[in-house]
Amino acid sequence: MQYIKGTRQHQLGGVPHGKGIQLNYFPFHLGDYAAHTGHLEPMEDLAYRRMLDLYYRTEKALPKDVSAIARLIRMVDCAATVRDVLNEFFTLSDDGWHSKRADDELTEMKTKQEQQATKDEHEAERLRRFRARRAE
């Protein structure tokens, strides 16, 4: 989804507000990532990054089935690697595999979006009242 340069969505990095929000951005802390993943082999690193991308894109837990995750991240031949990375960085719950850090980031993002939506509503109301007064 692209936004016209200068619009509010463009300024916000492509994150529209309101219902049906689609995440097009998430904070990626290079230092934290390097500190926690420096021991990974290249295929493990690739699997982890792709799982994080999938997690943020769908904004929900990864499926319980390891082979389903491997298919979704295009690493079917590396299911054992996917399983190992899941066991190290994710926690299995009733609804699937969770990442605490990603869950925290998503919660923070949704809170900020709700706050911005409220500010936008207030601004729209302020402008409506201002225009109504000018029209009198």
Coordinates of all heavy atoms in Angstrom, one line a residue, residues 42-120:
P42 N 23.7 -19.2 9.7 CA 23.0 -18.4 8.7 C 21.5 -18.8 8.4 O 20.6 -18.0 8.4 CB 23.8 -18.5 7.4 CG 25.2 -18.7 7.9 CD 25.0 -19.5 9.2
M43 N 21.3 -20.1 8.3 CA 19.9 -20.6 8.1 C 19.0 -20.4 9.3 O 17.8 -20.1 9.1 CB 19.9 -22.1 7.6 CG 20.5 -22.3 6.3 SD 19.8 -21.3 4.9 CE 18.2 -22.1 4.7
E44 N 19.6 -20.5 10.5 CA 18.8 -20.2 11.7 C 18.4 -18.7 11.7 O 17.3 -18.4 12.1 CB 19.6 -20.6 12.9 CG 19.8 -22.1 13.1 CD 20.8 -22.4 14.2 OE1 21.7 -21.7 14.4 OE2 20.6 -23.5 14.8
D45 N 19.4 -17.9 11.4 CA 19.1 -16.5 11.4 C 18.0 -16.1 10.4 O 17.1 -15.3 10.7 CB 20.4 -15.7 11.1 CG 20.3 -14.2 11.1 OD1 19.8 -13.7 12.2 OD2 20.6 -13.6 10.1
L46 N 18.1 -16.7 9.2 CA 17.1 -16.5 8.2 C 15.7 -16.9 8.6 O 14.7 -16.2 8.5 CB 17.5 -17.2 6.9 CG 16.5 -17.1 5.7 CD1 16.4 -15.7 5.3 CD2 17.0 -18.0 4.6
A47 N 15.7 -18.1 9.2 CA 14.4 -18.6 9.7 C 13.8 -17.7 10.8 O 12.6 -17.4 10.8 CB 14.6 -20.0 10.3
Y48 N 14.7 -17.2 11.7 CA 14.2 -16.3 12.8 C 13.7 -15.0 12.2 O 12.6 -14.5 12.6 CB 15.3 -16.1 13.8 CG 14.9 -15.3 15.0 CD1 13.7 -15.5 15.7 CD2 15.7 -14.2 15.4 CE1 13.4 -14.8 16.8 CE2 15.3 -13.4 16.5 CZ 14.2 -13.7 17.2 OH 13.8 -13.0 18.3
R49 N 14.4 -14.4 11.3 CA 14.0 -13.1 10.7 C 12.7 -13.3 10.0 O 11.8 -12.5 10.1 CB 15.0 -12.6 9.7 CG 16.1 -11.8 10.3 CD 15.6 -10.6 11.1 NE 14.5 -10.0 10.5 CZ 14.4 -8.7 10.2 NH1 15.4 -7.9 10.5 NH2 13.4 -8.2 9.6
R50 N 12.5 -14.4 9.2 CA 11.3 -14.6 8.5 C 10.1 -14.9 9.4 O 9.0 -14.5 9.1 CB 11.5 -15.8 7.5 CG 12.3 -15.4 6.3 CD 12.4 -16.5 5.3 NE 13.2 -16.1 4.1 CZ 13.4 -16.9 3.1 NH1 12.9 -18.1 3.0 NH2 14.1 -16.5 2.1
M51 N 10.4 -15.6 10.5 CA 9.3 -15.8 11.5 C 8.9 -14.5 12.1 O 7.7 -14.3 12.3 CB 9.7 -16.8 12.5 CG 9.7 -18.3 12.0 SD 10.0 -19.5 13.3 CE 11.8 -19.6 13.3
L52 N 9.9 -13.7 12.4 CA 9.5 -12.3 13.0 C 8.7 -11.5 12.0 O 7.7 -10.9 12.4 CB 10.8 -11.6 13.4 CG 11.5 -12.0 14.7 CD1 12.7 -11.2 14.9 CD2 10.5 -11.9 15.9
D53 N 9.1 -11.5 10.7 CA 8.4 -10.8 9.7 C 6.9 -11.3 9.6 O 6.0 -10.5 9.5 CB 9.1 -10.9 8.3 CG 10.4 -10.2 8.3 OD1 10.6 -9.3 9.2 OD2 11.1 -10.4 7.3
L54 N 6.8 -12.6 9.6 CA 5.4 -13.2 9.6 C 4.6 -12.8 10.8 O 3.5 -12.5 10.7 CB 5.6 -14.7 9.5 CG 4.2 -15.5 9.5 CD1 3.4 -15.2 8.3 CD2 4.5 -17.0 9.5
Y55 N 5.3 -12.9 11.9 CA 4.6 -12.5 13.2 C 4.1 -11.1 13.2 O 2.9 -10.8 13.5 CB 5.6 -12.7 14.3 CG 5.0 -12.9 15.7 CD1 4.8 -14.2 16.2 CD2 4.6 -11.8 16.5 CE1 4.3 -14.4 17.5 CE2 4.0 -12.0 17.7 CZ 3.9 -13.3 18.2 OH 3.3 -13.5 19.5
Y56 N 4.9 -10.2 12.8 CA 4.5 -8.8 12.7 C 3.5 -8.5 11.6 O 2.6 -7.7 11.8 CB 5.7 -7.9 12.5 CG 6.5 -7.6 13.8 CD1 7.8 -8.2 14.0 CD2 6.0 -6.8 14.8 CE1 8.5 -8.0 15.2 CE2 6.7 -6.6 16.0 CZ 7.9 -7.2 16.2 OH 8.6 -7.0 17.3
R57 N 3.7 -9.2 10.5 CA 2.8 -9.0 9.4 C 1.4 -9.4 9.7 O 0.4 -8.8 9.4 CB 3.3 -9.6 8.1 CG 2.5 -9.3 6.9 CD 3.1 -9.8 5.6 NE 3.1 -11.3 5.6 CZ 4.1 -12.1 5.6 NH1 5.3 -11.6 5.7 NH2 3.9 -13.4 5.6
T58 N 1.2 -10.6 10.4 CA -0.1 -11.1 10.7 C -0.6 -10.6 12.0 O -1.8 -10.7 12.3 CB 0.0 -12.7 10.7 OG1 0.9 -13.1 11.7 CG2 0.3 -13.2 9.4
E59 N 0.3 -10.1 12.9 CA 0.0 -9.6 14.2 C -0.7 -10.6 15.1 O -1.6 -10.4 15.8 CB -0.9 -8.3 14.1 CG -0.2 -7.2 13.4 CD -1.0 -5.9 13.4 OE1 -1.7 -5.7 14.4 OE2 -0.9 -5.2 12.4
K60 N -0.3 -11.9 14.9 CA -0.8 -13.0 15.8 C 0.3 -14.0 15.9 O 1.3 -14.0 15.2 CB -2.1 -13.5 15.2 CG -1.9 -14.2 13.8 CD -3.2 -14.7 13.3 CE -3.0 -15.4 11.9 NZ -4.2 -15.9 11.4
A61 N 0.0 -15.0 16.8 CA 0.9 -16.1 17.1 C 1.2 -16.9 15.8 O 0.3 -17.0 15.0 CB 0.4 -16.9 18.2
L62 N 2.3 -17.5 15.7 CA 2.6 -18.4 14.6 C 1.8 -19.7 14.9 O 1.6 -20.0 16.0 CB 4.1 -18.7 14.6 CG 5.0 -17.5 14.3 CD1 6.5 -17.9 14.4 CD2 4.7 -16.8 13.0
P63 N 1.5 -20.4 13.8 CA 0.7 -21.6 14.0 C 1.5 -22.6 14.9 O 2.7 -22.6 15.0 CB 0.6 -22.2 12.6 CG 0.9 -21.0 11.6 CD 1.8 -20.1 12.4
K64 N 0.8 -23.5 15.5 CA 1.4 -24.6 16.3 C 2.2 -25.5 15.5 O 3.3 -26.0 15.9 CB 0.3 -25.4 17.1 CG -0.3 -24.6 18.2 CD -1.3 -25.5 18.9 CE -1.9 -24.9 20.1 NZ -2.9 -25.8 20.8
D65 N 1.8 -25.8 14.3 CA 2.5 -26.8 13.4 C 3.7 -26.3 12.8 O 3.7 -25.3 12.0 CB 1.5 -27.2 12.3 CG 2.0 -28.3 11.4 OD1 3.0 -29.0 11.8 OD2 1.5 -28.4 10.3
V66 N 4.9 -26.9 13.2 CA 6.2 -26.4 12.7 C 6.3 -26.5 11.2 O 6.8 -25.6 10.5 CB 7.3 -27.2 13.4 CG1 8.7 -26.9 12.8 CG2 7.3 -27.0 14.9
S67 N 5.7 -27.5 10.6 CA 5.8 -27.7 9.1 C 5.0 -26.6 8.4 O 5.4 -26.1 7.4 CB 5.4 -29.1 8.7 OG 4.1 -29.3 9.0
A68 N 3.9 -26.2 9.1 CA 3.1 -25.1 8.5 C 3.9 -23.8 8.5 O 3.9 -23.0 7.6 CB 1.8 -24.9 9.2
I69 N 4.6 -23.5 9.6 CA 5.4 -22.3 9.7 C 6.5 -22.4 8.7 O 6.8 -21.4 8.0 CB 6.0 -22.2 11.1 CG1 4.9 -22.0 12.2 CG2 7.0 -21.0 11.2 CD1 5.4 -22.1 13.6
A70 N 7.2 -23.5 8.6 CA 8.3 -23.7 7.6 C 7.7 -23.4 6.2 O 8.4 -22.7 5.4 CB 8.8 -25.1 7.6
R71 N 6.5 -23.8 5.8 CA 6.0 -23.5 4.5 C 5.7 -22.0 4.4 O 6.0 -21.4 3.4 CB 4.7 -24.3 4.3 CG 4.0 -24.1 2.9 CD 2.8 -24.9 2.8 NE 1.8 -24.6 3.8 CZ 1.0 -23.5 3.9 NH1 1.2 -22.6 3.0 NH2 0.1 -23.3 4.8
L72 N 5.1 -21.4 5.4 CA 4.8 -20.0 5.4 C 6.0 -19.1 5.2 O 5.9 -18.0 4.6 CB 4.0 -19.6 6.7 CG 2.6 -20.1 6.7 CD1 2.0 -19.9 8.2 CD2 1.7 -19.4 5.7
I73 N 7.1 -19.5 5.8 CA 8.4 -18.7 5.6 C 9.3 -19.2 4.5 O 10.4 -18.8 4.4 CB 9.1 -18.6 7.0 CG1 9.6 -20.0 7.4 CG2 8.3 -18.0 8.0 CD1 10.6 -19.9 8.6
R74 N 8.8 -20.1 3.7 CA 9.5 -20.6 2.5 C 10.8 -21.3 2.9 O 11.8 -21.2 2.2 CB 9.8 -19.5 1.5 CG 8.5 -18.8 1.1 CD 8.8 -17.6 0.1 NE 9.9 -16.8 0.3 CZ 9.9 -15.7 1.2 NH1 8.9 -15.4 1.9 NH2 11.0 -15.0 1.3
M75 N 10.7 -22.2 3.9 CA 11.8 -23.0 4.4 C 11.4 -24.4 4.7 O 11.8 -25.0 5.7 CB 12.5 -22.3 5.6 CG 13.1 -21.0 5.3 SD 14.0 -20.3 6.7 CE 15.5 -21.3 6.7
V76 N 10.7 -25.0 3.8 CA 10.1 -26.3 3.9 C 11.2 -27.4 4.2 O 11.1 -28.3 5.0 CB 9.2 -26.7 2.8 CG1 8.7 -28.2 2.9 CG2 8.0 -25.8 2.6
D77 N 12.3 -27.2 3.5 CA 13.4 -28.2 3.6 C 14.2 -28.0 4.9 O 15.1 -28.8 5.2 CB 14.4 -28.1 2.4 CG 13.7 -28.5 1.1 OD1 12.7 -29.3 1.2 OD2 14.2 -28.0 0.0
C78 N 13.9 -27.0 5.7 CA 14.6 -26.7 6.9 C 13.7 -26.7 8.1 O 13.9 -25.9 9.1 CB 15.3 -25.3 6.8 SG 16.4 -25.1 5.4
A79 N 12.8 -27.6 8.1 CA 11.8 -27.7 9.2 C 12.5 -27.9 10.6 O 12.1 -27.4 11.6 CB 10.8 -28.8 9.0
A80 N 13.6 -28.7 10.6 CA 14.3 -28.9 11.9 C 14.9 -27.7 12.4 O 14.9 -27.4 13.6 CB 15.4 -30.0 11.7
T81 N 15.4 -26.9 11.5 CA 16.0 -25.6 11.9 C 14.9 -24.6 12.4 O 15.1 -24.0 13.4 CB 16.7 -24.9 10.6 OG1 17.7 -25.8 10.2 CG2 17.3 -23.5 11.0
V82 N 13.8 -24.6 11.7 CA 12.6 -23.8 12.2 C 12.2 -24.3 13.6 O 12.0 -23.4 14.5 CB 11.4 -23.9 11.2 CG1 10.2 -23.3 11.7 CG2 11.8 -23.3 9.8
R83 N 12.1 -25.5 13.8 CA 11.8 -26.1 15.1 C 12.8 -25.6 16.2 O 12.4 -25.2 17.3 CB 11.7 -27.6 15.1 CG 11.3 -28.2 16.4 CD 11.5 -29.7 16.5 NE 13.0 -29.9 16.5 CZ 13.6 -30.6 15.6 NH1 12.9 -31.3 14.6 NH2 14.9 -30.8 15.6
D84 N 14.1 -25.7 15.9 CA 15.1 -25.3 16.9 C 15.0 -23.8 17.2 O 15.1 -23.4 18.4 CB 16.5 -25.6 16.3 CG 16.7 -27.1 16.2 OD1 16.0 -27.9 16.8 OD2 17.7 -27.4 15.4
V85 N 14.8 -23.0 16.2 CA 14.6 -21.5 16.4 C 13.4 -21.2 17.2 O 13.4 -20.4 18.1 CB 14.7 -20.8 15.1 CG1 14.3 -19.3 15.3 CG2 16.0 -20.9 14.4
L86 N 12.3 -21.9 16.9 CA 11.0 -21.7 17.7 C 11.3 -22.0 19.1 O 10.9 -21.3 20.0 CB 9.9 -22.6 17.1 CG 9.2 -22.2 15.8 CD1 8.4 -23.3 15.3 CD2 8.4 -20.9 16.1
N87 N 11.9 -23.2 19.4 CA 12.1 -23.6 20.8 C 13.0 -22.6 21.5 O 12.9 -22.4 22.8 CB 12.7 -25.0 20.8 CG 11.7 -26.0 20.5 OD1 10.5 -25.9 20.9 ND2 12.1 -27.1 19.8
E88 N 13.9 -21.9 20.8 CA 14.8 -21.0 21.5 C 14.2 -19.6 21.7 O 14.4 -19.0 22.8 CB 16.1 -20.8 20.7 CG 17.1 -19.9 21.3 CD 18.5 -19.9 20.7 OE1 18.7 -20.7 19.7 OE2 19.3 -19.1 21.1
F89 N 13.4 -19.1 20.7 CA 13.0 -17.7 20.8 C 11.5 -17.5 21.0 O 11.1 -16.4 21.2 CB 13.4 -17.0 19.5 CG 14.9 -16.9 19.3 CD1 15.6 -17.7 18.5 CD2 15.6 -15.9 20.1 CE1 17.0 -17.6 18.3 CE2 17.0 -15.8 19.9 CZ 17.7 -16.6 19.1
F90 N 10.7 -18.6 20.9 CA 9.3 -18.4 21.0 C 8.8 -19.4 22.1 O 9.4 -20.3 22.5 CB 8.6 -18.8 19.7 CG 8.9 -17.8 18.6 CD1 10.1 -17.9 17.8 CD2 8.0 -16.9 18.2 CE1 10.3 -17.0 16.8 CE2 8.2 -16.0 17.2 CZ 9.4 -16.0 16.5
T91 N 7.5 -19.1 22.6 CA 6.9 -19.9 23.6 C 5.6 -20.5 23.0 O 4.8 -19.7 22.5 CB 6.6 -19.0 24.8 OG1 7.8 -18.4 25.3 CG2 6.0 -19.9 25.9
L92 N 5.4 -21.8 23.2 CA 4.2 -22.4 22.7 C 3.0 -22.2 23.6 O 3.1 -22.5 24.8 CB 4.4 -23.9 22.4 CG 3.2 -24.7 21.8 CD1 2.8 -24.1 20.4 CD2 3.6 -26.1 21.7
S93 N 1.9 -21.6 23.1 CA 0.7 -21.4 23.9 C -0.5 -22.1 23.2 O -0.3 -22.8 22.2 CB 0.4 -19.9 24.0 OG 1.4 -19.3 24.7
D94 N -1.6 -22.0 23.8 CA -2.8 -22.7 23.2 C -3.1 -22.2 21.8 O -3.6 -23.0 21.0 CB -4.1 -22.4 24.1 CG -4.0 -23.1 25.4 OD1 -3.2 -24.1 25.5 OD2 -4.7 -22.7 26.3
D95 N -2.8 -20.9 21.5 CA -3.1 -20.4 20.1 C -1.9 -20.4 19.2 O -2.0 -19.9 18.1 CB -3.7 -19.0 20.3 CG -2.8 -18.0 20.9 OD1 -1.8 -18.4 21.6 OD2 -2.9 -16.8 20.7
G96 N -0.8 -20.9 19.6 CA 0.4 -21.0 18.7 C 1.6 -20.5 19.4 O 1.7 -20.4 20.6
W97 N 2.7 -20.2 18.6 CA 4.0 -19.8 19.1 C 4.0 -18.3 19.3 O 3.7 -17.5 18.3 CB 5.1 -20.2 18.1 CG 5.3 -21.7 18.1 CD1 4.7 -22.6 17.2 CD2 6.1 -22.5 18.9 NE1 5.1 -23.8 17.4 CE2 6.0 -23.8 18.5 CE3 7.0 -22.1 19.9 CZ2 6.8 -24.8 19.1 CZ3 7.7 -23.2 20.5 CH2 7.6 -24.5 20.1
H98 N 4.4 -17.8 20.5 CA 4.4 -16.4 20.8 C 5.9 -15.9 21.0 O 6.7 -16.6 21.5 CB 3.6 -16.1 22.1 CG 2.2 -16.0 21.8 ND1 1.5 -14.9 21.5 CD2 1.2 -17.0 21.9 CE1 0.2 -15.1 21.4 NE2 0.0 -16.4 21.6
S99 N 6.1 -14.7 20.6 CA 7.3 -14.0 20.9 C 7.0 -12.8 21.9 O 6.2 -11.9 21.5 CB 7.9 -13.4 19.6 OG 8.9 -12.4 20.0
K100 N 7.5 -12.9 23.1 CA 7.2 -11.9 24.1 C 7.6 -10.5 23.6 O 6.8 -9.5 23.7 CB 8.0 -12.1 25.4 CG 7.6 -11.1 26.5 CD 8.3 -11.4 27.7 CE 8.0 -10.3 28.8 NZ 7.5 -9.1 28.5
R101 N 8.8 -10.3 23.0 CA 9.2 -9.0 22.5 C 8.2 -8.5 21.4 O 7.8 -7.3 21.4 CB 10.6 -9.1 21.9 CG 11.2 -7.9 21.2 CD 11.5 -6.8 22.2 NE 12.1 -5.6 21.6 CZ 13.4 -5.3 21.7 NH1 14.3 -6.1 22.2 NH2 13.8 -4.2 21.1
A102 N 7.9 -9.4 20.5 CA 7.0 -8.9 19.4 C 5.6 -8.6 20.0 O 5.0 -7.6 19.5 CB 6.9 -10.0 18.3
D103 N 5.1 -9.4 20.9 CA 3.8 -9.1 21.5 C 3.9 -7.7 22.2 O 2.9 -6.9 22.1 CB 3.4 -10.2 22.5 CG 3.0 -11.5 21.9 OD1 2.6 -11.4 20.7 OD2 3.0 -12.5 22.5
D104 N 5.0 -7.4 22.9 CA 5.1 -6.1 23.6 C 5.1 -5.0 22.6 O 4.5 -4.0 22.8 CB 6.4 -6.1 24.4 CG 6.3 -7.0 25.7 OD1 5.2 -7.5 26.0 OD2 7.4 -7.3 26.2
E105 N 5.9 -5.2 21.5 CA 6.0 -4.1 20.4 C 4.6 -3.9 19.8 O 4.2 -2.8 19.5 CB 7.0 -4.5 19.4 CG 8.4 -4.6 19.9 CD 9.1 -3.2 20.1 OE1 8.4 -2.2 19.7 OE2 10.2 -3.2 20.6
L106 N 3.9 -5.0 19.5 CA 2.5 -4.9 18.9 C 1.6 -4.2 19.8 O 0.8 -3.3 19.4 CB 2.0 -6.2 18.5 CG 2.7 -6.9 17.3 CD1 2.3 -8.3 17.1 CD2 2.4 -6.1 16.0
T107 N 1.6 -4.5 21.1 CA 0.7 -3.8 22.1 C 1.0 -2.4 22.1 O 0.1 -1.5 22.1 CB 0.9 -4.5 23.5 OG1 0.5 -5.9 23.4 CG2 0.0 -3.8 24.5
E108 N 2.3 -2.0 22.2 CA 2.7 -0.6 22.2 C 2.2 0.1 20.9 O 1.7 1.2 21.0 CB 4.2 -0.5 22.4 CG 4.7 1.0 22.5 CD 6.2 1.1 22.7 OE1 6.8 0.1 23.2 OE2 6.7 2.1 22.4
M109 N 2.4 -0.5 19.8 CA 2.0 0.1 18.5 C 0.5 0.3 18.5 O 0.0 1.4 18.1 CB 2.4 -0.8 17.3 CG 1.9 -0.2 16.0 SD 1.2 -1.4 14.8 CE 0.3 -2.6 15.6
K110 N -0.3 -0.6 19.0 CA -1.8 -0.5 19.0 C -2.2 0.6 19.9 O -3.1 1.4 19.6 CB -2.4 -1.8 19.3 CG -2.3 -2.8 18.2 CD -2.9 -4.2 18.5 CE -2.7 -5.1 17.4 NZ -3.2 -6.5 17.7
T111 N -1.5 0.7 21.1 CA -1.8 1.8 22.0 C -1.6 3.1 21.4 O -2.4 4.1 21.5 CB -1.0 1.6 23.3 OG1 -1.3 0.4 23.9 CG2 -1.3 2.7 24.3
K112 N -0.4 3.3 20.7 CA -0.1 4.6 20.1 C -1.1 4.9 19.0 O -1.5 6.0 18.8 CB 1.3 4.5 19.5 CG 2.4 4.6 20.5 CD 3.8 4.6 19.9 CE 4.9 4.7 20.9 NZ 6.2 4.6 20.3
Q113 N -1.5 3.9 18.2 CA -2.5 4.1 17.1 C -3.8 4.5 17.7 O -4.5 5.4 17.1 CB -2.6 2.8 16.3 CG -1.4 2.6 15.4 CD -1.6 1.3 14.6 OE1 -2.3 0.4 15.0 NE2 -0.8 1.2 13.5
E114 N -4.3 3.9 18.8 CA -5.5 4.3 19.4 C -5.4 5.7 19.9 O -6.4 6.5 19.8 CB -5.9 3.3 20.5 CG -6.3 2.0 20.1 CD -6.3 0.9 21.2 OE1 -6.1 1.3 22.4 OE2 -6.6 -0.3 20.9
Q115 N -4.3 6.1 20.5 CA -4.1 7.5 21.0 C -4.2 8.4 19.8 O -4.8 9.5 19.9 CB -2.8 7.6 21.8 CG -2.8 6.9 23.1 CD -1.5 6.8 23.8 OE1 -0.4 7.1 23.1 NE2 -1.4 6.4 25.0
Q116 N -3.5 8.1 18.7 CA -3.5 9.0 17.6 C -4.9 9.1 17.0 O -5.3 10.2 16.5 CB -2.5 8.5 16.5 CG -2.3 9.4 15.4 CD -1.8 10.8 15.8 OE1 -0.8 10.8 16.5 NE2 -2.4 11.8 15.3
A117 N -5.6 8.0 16.9 CA -7.0 8.0 16.4 C -7.8 9.0 17.2 O -8.6 9.7 16.7 CB -7.6 6.6 16.3
T118 N -7.7 8.9 18.5 CA -8.4 9.8 19.4 C -8.1 11.3 19.1 O -8.9 12.2 19.0 CB -8.2 9.5 20.9 OG1 -8.6 8.1 21.1 CG2 -9.0 10.4 21.8
K119 N -6.8 11.5 19.0 CA -6.3 12.9 18.7 C -6.9 13.4 17.4 O -7.3 14.5 17.2 CB -4.8 12.9 18.7 CG -4.1 12.9 20.0 CD -2.6 12.9 19.9 CE -1.9 12.7 21.2 NZ -0.4 12.7 21.0
D120 N -6.9 12.5 16.4 CA -7.4 12.8 15.0 C -8.9 13.1 15.1 O -9.3 14.1 14.4 CB -7.1 11.7 14.0 CG -5.7 11.5 13.7 OD1 -4.9 12.4 14.0 OD2 -5.3 10.5 13.1

